[in-house]
Amino acid sequence: MEPGAPWRDPRQGYAYGVGSALQMQLQQRANAAAGGGVLKRSLGELERWQHHQQQHVAAHYLRAVRQRTAAAADIAALLGGGPTQPLVLSGSSYGGGLASPSSTLSSLTTASRAAVPLMHPHPQPQQPQVPLMTSSPQTQAFGLSRAQPPQPAASSELFILQELEKQLLDDDDDEPVAAMSSTGSAVTNSEWEETIQQLNSITAAPSPGLPAAAAPNNNNANAGMTRSPSNSSSSTASSSASCSPPTPGAASRQLLSEAAVALADGNHEAAATHLAALKRAANQHGDAEQRLIAMMVAALSSRIIPTASALAQHLAELCGAEQRAGTQLLHDISPCFRLALHAASVAIVEAVGDHRAIHLVDFDVSLQQHAALIQYLADRRVPGTSLKVTAITDPGSPYTQSLAATLTAFGEQLKQLAERAGIEYRFKVVSCRAAELDASRLGCAPEEALAVNLAFALSHVPDESVSPANPRDELLRRVRALGPQVVALVEQELNTNTAPLAARFTDACAHYGAILESLDATLGRESAEKKARAEVALAKKAANAVGREGPDRLERCEVFGKWRARFGMAGFRPVALGPGIADQVAARVGPAPPGFTVKAENGVLRLCWMGRVVTVASAWR
């Protein structure tokens, strides 16, 4: 042995379970006492030094045992048990000789494990040491009180508590005792944090013996994570309905939304159950809400068991002459449609200025709009005014047959109206696809002021989501190549193009519901027949928007933001429609009825019912 080397008791070694930190302390004290080597000590000094070190080790074990027994008492209280039994070390008391290290460790381990039942019958892998505190701070850290222990937890809760007990009371003989000082160890890991979180969630949950009214409710934070069958507006209505009884209309709309979500998920059985219950609340002759429910129930029901014959009949009715007449009637009697068409006519008249020769290219001729246009042109009092109208029909469109059948009759009526107003009028029909559109085919002349009308026309043209050729954007590029002085656009503020079923259904409910309410507010009982015909056409539109997918969904409306993007990519720039146009329209057709508003914002006119935008009119160049 080298001079000055520390002396080590052969009985001690590492058998005490004491880590290297304490051994270094013993070694340093031994060096200081030895003064250069233990061989210089007398036998009496050596025995006294050995006894002193044994007492030091015993005192250190006592501190660790007290901390562990306090933690064991806390865990036992958490689990509903009584206080733990006091630890009694085998052998002599601490005042006398210290028991052997092996027996001491056995007693410590046995006593601490006996505080609560073991979770696993087999030895478990070692866990990192965790902070140990006295019993009172420990219970406060978990939000519990030892004075009022909670009711026994369920089996899953007991499992987690036992896991926590294992973390607190596990003995790791290979870990240093210095790590378990009075301040506790700073060692933590992700498993320990997860256990604490699980324990907190258990203490917040109602225990089996606690009344439901007294149990705390911590589910509000997670309420938004569950899937709702309705959109945000209906979810808000559902939350407010918890405070007051829901109205029958709100409950029916919620059930409609659930049916739409079930259909979107492919759960036709649940959807059929909802729709069967809704049929009892539907009434085609009731108020606006009942008529909307009947309209949407029929639209969703057509998706459950679609047949080829039913689909063919639906498309034939949607593109038929009767449907077109009903749509024209809707445009005439609904202020949202009628005022928007008038605004487009005023925008055309302002763009052509004092030109005598005017050429209007129209892709969906409306008798109401053209009659208003003739009146606005006559009001200019420009002598020798002539109006040439070229109506475009697409041979590939399913709407062409009904459109061609009505165009000739429209032309004759408009010609008579123009002659009475002192305007020369010519009307012709040109059949061509979007890719075939050019100035020579349309008969455009240099001396003419060219205007293009796209009122309610683009929504009937497929886009890139239906056809790779993208006829919608191709048509816009061809129109841009004509060099018109103005392009008038009127469309419904509705997304029935690329939106998924659930979102499309929610938007359609709000949109068509607003139209139905506006018709009730506008028309009296003497117009009941007109209103019924217009609503039949509206119901067919709703059935196609909600009940059909792919190429079978013919009317594909978009919100104005998307139209603006398409026009911008095609090379158009907007022409502002100011409040003056709204004033001219009001002077012509009268002020809007109560509930209707006309908003001139960012150069466009938005026609609204009770704050809901129904149609948007804009102009481009």
Side-chain angles (χ1 to χ4, degrees):
M1 179 177 297
E2 298 179 4
W7 177 86
R8 178 177 297 157
D9 187 350
R11 296 179 302 165
Q12 178 179 337
Y14 287 91
Y16 287 99
V18 184
S20 59
L22 180 59
Q23 288 183 346
M24 288 296 298
Q25 296 176 9
L26 297 179
Q27 291 170 2
Q28 293 171 359
R29 294 177 182 179
N31 290 338
V38 295
L39 295 179
K40 296 180 181 181
R41 294 185 174 205
S42 63
L43 180 60
E45 292 174 343
L46 183 61
E47 290 177 350
R48 287 193 300 273
W49 179 87
Q50 178 180 356
H51 181 70
H52 177 268
Q53 297 303 327
Q54 289 176 345
Q55 288 181 335
H56 176 79
V57 172
H60 194 87
Y61 269 115
L62 181 60
R63 288 196 300 270
V65 167
R66 286 174 178 172
Q67 293 171 353
R68 290 170 176 250
T69 52
D74 291 338
I75 297 299
L78 286 173
L79 297 176
T84 55
Q85 298 296 326
L87 276 174
V88 179
L89 297 178
S90 59
S92 305
S93 66
Y94 282 104
L98 182 66
S100 65
S102 60
S103 63
T104 301
L105 289 175
S106 175
S107 301
L108 285 170
T109 305
T110 303
S112 62
R113 299 283 187 181
V116 291
L118 288 177
M119 184 172 62
H120 299 288
H122 303 292
Q124 297 297 309
Q126 298 176 358
Q127 299 289 340
Q129 294 293 335
V130 297
L132 294 178
M133 298 181 290
T134 59
S135 59
S136 178
Q138 184 73 31
T139 55
Q140 294 175 0
F142 294 95
L144 301 176
S145 173
R146 293 188 62 184
Q148 295 178 354
Q151 297 293 330
S155 58
S156 60
E157 302 170 0
L158 181 61
F159 179 88
I160 297 178
L161 289 174
Q162 288 176 337
E163 177 66 19
L164 177 63
E165 175 268 335
K166 177 180 178 296
Q167 296 277 357
L168 288 173
L169 299 182
D170 195 15
D171 285 309
D172 294 326
D173 293 340
D174 293 337
E175 292 293 327
V177 173
M180 297 186 301
S181 62
S182 60
T183 58
S185 172
V187 179
T188 59
N189 58 8
S190 59
E191 296 179 356
W192 165 251
E193 294 173 357
E194 183 177 356
T195 304
I196 290 296
Q197 293 175 0
Q198 291 176 342
L199 181 64
N200 288 335
S201 65
I202 287 178
T203 57
S207 60
L210 194 64
N217 183 8
N218 291 335
N219 295 330
N220 293 337
N222 298 328
M225 302 300 294
T226 59
R227 183 177 182 184
S228 173
S230 61
N231 66 340
S232 60
S233 61
S234 60
S235 299
T236 305
S238 300
S239 61
S240 62
S242 62
C243 301
S244 59
T247 61
S252 298
R253 288 212 184 189
Q254 177 66 22
L255 201 57
L256 273 174
S257 298
E258 293 176 0
V261 170
L263 284 172
D265 294 339
N267 191 351
H268 288 188
E269 183 178 355
T273 302
H274 294 328
L275 294 176
L278 284 167
K279 287 181 179 179
R280 294 190 291 269
N283 183 0
Q284 294 181 349
H285 306 289
D287 58 19
E289 187 71 24
Q290 291 173 327
R291 301 199 309 275
L292 176 67
I293 294 173
M295 183 184 299
M296 289 303 171
V297 166
L300 292 177
S301 298
S302 65
R303 298 180 63 102
I304 296 181
I305 309 178
T307 61
S309 59
L311 175 60
Q313 181 181 359
H314 166 72
L315 295 179
E317 293 177 352
L318 184 67
C319 302
E322 185 176 352
Q323 172 69 13
R324 181 167 182 81
T327 301
Q328 292 283 332
L329 183 60
L330 175 65
H331 293 173
D332 293 345
I333 65 178
S334 170
C336 286
F337 291 88
R338 184 174 71 253
L339 297 179
L341 291 173
H342 273 264
S345 298
V346 174
I348 293 173
V349 172
E350 288 191 349
V352 299
D354 293 335
H355 277 82
R356 294 183 178 183
I358 302 166
H359 185 184
L360 177 64
V361 177
D362 201 332
F363 289 83
D364 192 359
V365 176
S366 167
L367 186 61
Q368 170 76 19
Q369 182 184 10
H370 280 246
L373 177 62
I374 291 173
Q375 293 296 329
Y376 288 122
L377 287 174
D379 291 343
R380 298 185 312 160
R381 302 191 182 278
V382 176
T385 299
S386 65
L387 176 61
K388 181 173 67 175
V389 177
T390 300
I392 307 298
T393 60
D394 185 352
S397 172
Y399 292 98
T400 297
Q401 184 176 359
S402 62
L403 179 62
T406 59
L407 284 179
T408 303
F410 281 178
E412 290 298 326
Q413 296 181 44
L414 293 172
K415 184 177 181 179
Q416 296 175 9
L417 181 61
E419 289 176 351
R420 290 196 297 267
I423 296 176
E424 182 184 351
Y425 188 85
R426 289 176 290 172
F427 186 90
K428 69 174 182 177
V429 179
V430 175
S431 178
C432 66
R433 299 179 185 273
E436 303 168 350
L437 200 65
D438 56 40
S440 60
R441 189 158 190 172
L442 300 180
C444 298
E447 68 277 7
E448 296 174 343
L450 180 63
V452 176
N453 184 42
L454 290 173
F456 303 114
L458 283 180
S459 55
H460 291 169
V461 181
D463 71 340
E464 67 277 3
S465 66
V466 180
S467 170
N470 194 358
R472 182 174 293 184
D473 288 350
E474 177 66 21
L475 175 61
L476 287 178
R477 288 191 294 268
R478 292 287 179 169
V479 169
R480 175 68 179 84
L482 296 176
Q485 291 187 264
V486 66
V487 176
L489 174 69
V490 179
E491 285 291 350
Q492 301 178 74
E493 186 71 356
L494 175 66
N495 187 5
T496 59
N497 186 21
T498 57
L501 174 60
R504 195 166 73 240
F505 173 81
T506 300
D507 199 16
C509 271
H511 181 79
Y512 295 120
I515 296 176
L516 292 175
E517 291 176 0
S518 69
L519 293 178
D520 284 353
T522 305
L523 303 177
R525 293 184 177 181
E526 67 279 1
S527 304
E529 183 180 354
K530 287 184 177 181
K531 185 172 69 172
R533 288 174 56 197
E535 290 186 2
V536 169
L538 194 68
K540 288 184 172 61
K541 289 176 176 289
N544 187 257
V546 174
R548 296 293 175 256
E549 300 293 340
D552 295 333
R553 194 162 71 248
L554 300 182
E555 188 171 82
R556 292 177 167 266
C557 301
E558 292 184 320
V559 295
F560 178 72
K562 291 188 176 181
W563 292 124
R564 180 174 53 199
R566 289 188 186 275
F567 272 78
M569 290 186 295
F572 289 97
R573 57 185 176 84
V575 177
L577 301 181
I581 291 184
D583 295 339
Q584 293 185 50
V585 172
R588 173 69 61 180
V589 300
F596 287 95
T597 53
V598 180
K599 298 180 180 179
E601 299 176 344
N602 301 322
V604 302
L605 292 184
R606 291 177 167 85
L607 291 304
C608 313
W609 165 254
M610 303 301 290
R612 164 87 189 187
V613 181
V614 179
T615 57
V616 179
S618 60
W620 306 84
R621 186 172 182 176

